[in-house]
Amino acid sequence: EAVIETRALGKVYSPGTEAEVIALQAVDLRIGRGEFVAIMGPSGSGKSTLMNLIGCLDTPSSGQYLCDGVDVATLDAEERAALRLEKIGFVFQGFNLLPRMNALENVAMPMGYANVPREERLQRAREALASVGLAERAGHRPSELSGGQQQRVAIARALINRPPILLADEPTGALDTKTGEEILALFKRLQAEDHTVVLITHDPDVAAHCDRVFAMRDGELHEQEVAA
Ligand code: ADP
Ligand code: ADP
């Protein structure tokens, strides 16, 4: 079954004004559990807009989005935020870690709102850090970690609520090639554990690691042929 399903999904910014932008046009997308998907395309083509919709950060102007079977349009803002916490983990190019918190505290962060007692929260954060190979770095602040280690902390943070979907915006963009390959290997392992991974990338070598590749152009999404 599809974990991410969109039907004629569209997004218009500032509709009916001089500043109107049609950012997304009638996107039909079905992504199943355990798929590893890349979205490519030039700047301004609509990639962030689509990711914001898939991530339940924004609402569409037209069409439908089913997030793990839930029709997001039926939810109010609070319910949408709760769905996001449960279903989606986010990973960014710049890691987005809080500099004054150590690795463990950064990983435990997204549960702050989720009504999980502090001890359980920290225990889960320890497990998440161990699962990305960073158990012994729990007490380090981001500035004391390498770029690849910081990204692994960010991935552990994305995993803390055990979401089925991981969304990553240029996750290897700030890393050297070898470190980027390690991060991609980690995503592959998460895929094998049944996570659905969707990443935005400008790098064809990164997209080559994915099962399916989509190209965004002028708000339209087209699936590419992938060499076997
Ligand atoms: P990228 O292409 O790397 O995703 P952008 O500069 O396109 O970065 O977008 C960064 C953020 O700014 C996104 O969250 C996007 O939604 C927002 N954004 C982009 N273009 C505009 C705009 N014209 N007006 C307001 N916000 C915008
Ligand atoms: P990409 O991520 O591929 O760079 P975006 O989704 O950020 O593309 O942008 C798609 C189009 O929508 C661009 O023309 C951009 O300027 C516009 N846009 C993005 N976010 C906003 C926003 N918040 N308000 C107005 N226009 C936006």
Side-chain angles (χ1 to χ4, degrees), residues 13 43-44 47-49 52 169 202:
Y13 294 109
S43 189
K47 304 181 299 297
S48 308
T49 298
N52 288 344
D169 191 348
H202 287 289

Side-chain angles (χ1 to χ4, degrees), residues 13-14 19 21-23 41-50 200 216:
Y13 294 109
S14 313
V21 176
I22 300 172
S43 189
S45 60
K47 304 181 299 297
S48 308
T49 298
L50 179 61
I200 291 180
M216 183 76 90

